[in-house]
Amino acid sequence: MPDRRRYSFFKGLFPGDVLNFSKRSHYVREIMLERVYPTRVILPMKMHYGVPAVPCVRIGDTVLAGQCVGIPEKGSFSVPVHTGISGTVTDIIPITLPNGISTRAVVIKNDNKRARLDSLKPRSVMKLSATEAINIITDAGVCGMGGEGIPTGAKLRRAKKEGVKDFLVNCLQSEPYSTSDLTAITEYSDYVVNGSAACSRAIGAQRCFFLISEQRKEQREALENSIERLKDKFKDLTFDIKLFRERFPQGYYRLVAKALYGKQLAAQDTLERSCGAVLFNCSTMLACWEALSDNIPMMSRIVSITGDTSGIHNMLVPIGTPVSELISSIGDFRASGGRIIWGNCLTGIEIQDPENTPIIKLTSAVSIIRRQVVPKTPCIHCGLCSECCPMGLSPNTIYEMLNQGLTQKASEEGARDCIACGSCSYICPAGIDLTARIAVFAGEGRVIEVNSLLYNSGHTATEGELIYDNNEAGAGSLLEDYGGRIEEDGRDEAGRIVLPFDGGKKV
């Protein structure tokens, strides 16, 4: 019997509140535009949780779409980087991204030939073990597209090791105006469901749940239709759609644990260990199935170009496209003169140099927001920030403690639990940027591990030095030899999983 409950966490921001969710109502159809073909791409070697990849091309090299231009150092926690255009490598430069990542980047000039590697075509042999399937996802450069960019292959291996039973697919894109994930579901629902089911099997999960807002009726119907078409090929899996109430910031793993399992996770707790579940973004699942079925590495993604004065456009964008070229392709945004936000309107980062700021694997949106002067006053103690904080904090109290240097008191009030969602700053009638102050303090208290998103490290090769060259890399996508670097799991023929491809070949 289908689950008819409506799940959610407490508090947060709601439709009908100060945020305008009207452009996300179920009866609005956002247009999926053609793929963007930029004049150049800037490909950072680190767009993920882990250490940077290393360039495997030189200035002057000619590359094809889908070709690997950055390979992880042997034994490192990383993912490869691929180009989504064909052209010539014009530079390899140091770059600092708006989120603080410092790394090298490969710059490629588009030759406008749109030439692709011959290997980018539907896979003819699908007799793969679960480990081989995870290897393909790793070699395709897939990482989480909704959060910190944890390498998807590594996350699947951890979930398999932990023996999780529930595979959760996050379709809860809740930030106002952004609909890139929802467009992925509408346009490629079979890919999302196939990718989710394949990954579920690869880690040995028993249930595959799609988490989606109750208001997203079009996407819900698309998922239901795909599940109905594909369920007979995955008879060992239980599929279900879990409906959540519409509010922001829905989808954060600790809030999902609270809503779905009734568990309050501490900062060091994992969903896998505490709830027997693992959570992946729906766009990540789309990328996984592209890698498994079509042999396509992660070289592009859907991006919402959106704002508070214009409509929403969703475009298929090569990774590395400069933000300026993306904006210039949309006529009603070019003369807006607003603040350009690299990311979503509440949690994104304002950028000053759109010419040299690229779309990366984690960029789900570019938001153009009107410049407004918000009159600032002392705190009026209205309590709105406490009412909306999804983590149950009192932001105004913590803010005052931090300003007075009472850091220990602030920690005791839970300041380290801040998830930087921006709700308190947005709703504050006094115009106080509570999030900025509290989130910085929360970040300072967390250990930045070697493999984390913000740890700036990696090989410091001299200019022109390569750890790998084109001969070793094969000038390919890495998917031509997907099984060579990670040990098999030892499963015999009887223990192999099956993916529904060309009638259900063994996988």
Side-chain angles (χ1 to χ4, degrees):
M1 183 177 178
D3 187 353
R4 301 301 183 190
R5 289 181 58 188
R6 300 298 189 269
Y7 297 89
S8 189
F9 60 95
F10 294 105
K11 302 186 179 183
L13 296 171
F14 309 84
D17 268 347
V18 291
L19 290 177
N20 177 12
F21 283 77
S22 62
K23 294 181 181 179
R24 301 183 63 255
S25 56
H26 68 274
Y27 50 81
V28 173
R29 170 75 174 182
E30 296 91 10
I31 300 173
M32 179 68 178
L33 299 178
E34 293 291 330
R35 172 190 284 273
V36 175
Y37 284 98
T39 60
R40 64 180 178 133
V41 293
I42 305 167
L43 292 168
M45 293 295 100
K46 178 168 178 173
M47 300 180 260
H48 54 272
Y49 190 99
V51 300
V54 180
C56 58
V57 290
R58 287 190 174 92
I59 295 173
D61 285 352
T62 299
V63 296
L64 301 176
Q67 184 171 328
C68 180
V69 298
I71 299 181
E73 291 189 57
K74 292 179 175 64
S76 66
F77 186 65
S78 184
V79 292
V81 178
H82 300 80
T83 174
I85 65 171
S86 60
T88 304
V89 177
T90 59
D91 213 345
I92 299 176
I93 58 174
I95 186 175
T96 299
L97 298 173
N99 59 6
I101 292 177
S102 293
T103 183
R104 287 190 293 171
V106 174
V107 183
I108 300 171
K109 181 181 179 181
N110 198 340
D111 60 11
N112 295 314
K113 295 180 180 179
R114 303 184 185 182
R116 291 159 48 116
L117 287 174
D118 291 338
S119 61
L120 271 62
K121 58 187 177 183
R123 193 179 301 280
S124 59
V125 177
M126 288 289 287
K127 189 176 182 180
L128 313 168
S129 70
T131 299
E132 288 170 333
I134 295 175
N135 287 354
I136 291 172
I137 292 168
T138 299
D139 288 349
V142 181
C143 65
M145 299 168 71
E148 282 195 316
I150 297 174
T152 301
K155 192 172 179 180
L156 288 169
R157 290 186 192 95
R158 184 178 71 176
K160 184 178 179 181
K161 182 179 179 181
E162 295 286 350
V164 303
K165 302 303 179 186
D166 292 350
F167 192 95
L168 310 180
V169 185
N170 186 354
C171 308
L172 292 166
Q173 191 164 37
S174 64
E175 197 144 3
Y177 313 124
S178 299
T179 57
S180 56
D181 287 344
L182 303 174
T183 301
I185 297 169
T186 304
E187 302 292 332
Y188 306 106
S189 58
D190 281 1
Y191 271 61
V192 172
V193 173
N194 265 323
S196 303
C199 291
S200 297
R201 273 194 172 164
I203 66 172
Q206 299 173 352
R207 297 175 290 270
C208 184
F209 297 150
F210 297 88
L211 319 182
I212 194 166
S213 164
E214 61 182 341
Q215 292 190 11
R216 307 311 302 187
K217 294 182 180 179
E218 182 180 0
Q219 288 74 28
R220 176 182 166 188
E221 289 174 0
L223 288 172
E224 288 173 344
N225 291 336
S226 290
I227 290 171
E228 186 64 30
R229 284 193 295 271
L230 300 168
K231 66 180 183 181
D232 288 343
K233 297 176 181 177
F234 295 103
K235 291 182 179 180
D236 56 322
L237 284 174
T238 299
F239 292 98
D240 199 2
I241 295 176
K242 302 289 187 181
L243 299 181
F244 281 63
R245 299 191 186 281
E246 178 85 349
R247 67 181 67 184
F248 172 81
Q250 200 82 265
Y252 181 60
Y253 79 97
R254 289 167 69 183
L255 301 179
V256 168
K258 186 186 299 183
L260 206 57
Y261 298 98
K263 294 189 177 182
Q264 183 82 37
L265 301 188
Q268 67 275 12
D269 292 337
T270 65
L271 196 63
E272 292 90 335
R273 191 159 293 177
S274 300
C275 304
V278 64
L279 180 68
F280 288 94
N281 178 269
C282 59
S283 292
T284 307
M285 293 297 98
L286 165 60
C288 287
W289 190 248
E290 283 186 327
L292 289 169
S293 69
D294 297 340
N295 218 34
I296 294 177
M298 189 174 180
M299 60 185 190
S300 62
R301 67 158 298 146
I302 300 172
V303 178
S304 294
I305 304 91
T306 176
D308 59 350
T309 60
S310 301
I312 302 171
H313 302 269
N314 286 291
M315 307 185 75
L316 192 58
V317 182
I319 303 298
T321 299
V323 169
S324 59
E325 294 203 35
L326 192 57
I327 295 173
S328 67
S329 65
I330 309 295
D332 54 345
F333 283 102
R334 280 183 289 189
S336 65
R339 302 166 61 199
I340 301 175
I341 309 298
W342 191 63
N344 295 304
C345 62
L346 286 181
T347 57
I349 303 169
E350 183 175 3
I351 60 175
Q352 306 299 329
D353 186 13
E355 293 280 342
N356 296 301
T357 301
I359 298 298
I360 65 172
K361 295 179 180 182
L362 312 186
T363 312
S364 60
V366 172
S367 307
I368 316 295
I369 308 297
R370 289 171 293 174
R371 293 189 179 276
Q372 292 181 318
V373 178
V374 180
K376 294 184 179 181
T377 68
C379 177
I380 62 174
H381 302 287
C382 64
L384 288 176
C385 58
S386 299
E387 290 180 11
C388 76
C389 178
M391 301 306 293
L393 308 179
S394 297
N396 61 326
T397 301
I398 294 172
Y399 180 84
E400 288 300 328
M401 288 177 174
L402 292 175
N403 283 345
Q404 295 174 29
L406 303 174
T407 55
Q408 182 59 36
K409 289 285 187 182
S411 295
E412 293 171 1
E413 283 289 323
R416 304 290 189 195
D417 291 329
C418 173
I419 61 174
C421 68
S423 298
C424 57
S425 291
Y426 194 94
I427 206 169
C428 178
I432 302 171
D433 194 354
L434 300 162
T435 302
R437 183 71 180 91
I438 299 170
V440 168
F441 175 75
E444 290 172 350
R446 299 183 184 124
V447 177
I448 300 180
E449 299 174 344
V450 171
N451 287 326
S452 73
L453 184 66
L454 294 178
Y455 187 88
N456 290 319
S457 71
H459 184 77
T460 54
T462 58
E463 186 172 355
E465 178 192 351
L466 294 178
I467 291 183
Y468 303 98
D469 59 27
N470 275 330
N471 292 326
E472 184 174 352
S477 69
L478 290 191
L479 295 179
E480 290 85 357
D481 183 24
Y482 52 81
R485 292 191 304 283
I486 301 173
E487 291 297 321
E488 288 299 319
D489 58 2
R491 288 214 248 177
D492 57 18
E493 185 69 17
R496 296 168 91 80
I497 61 173
V498 177
L499 299 186
F501 189 86
D502 286 345
K505 293 183 178 180
K506 288 187 177 181
V507 179

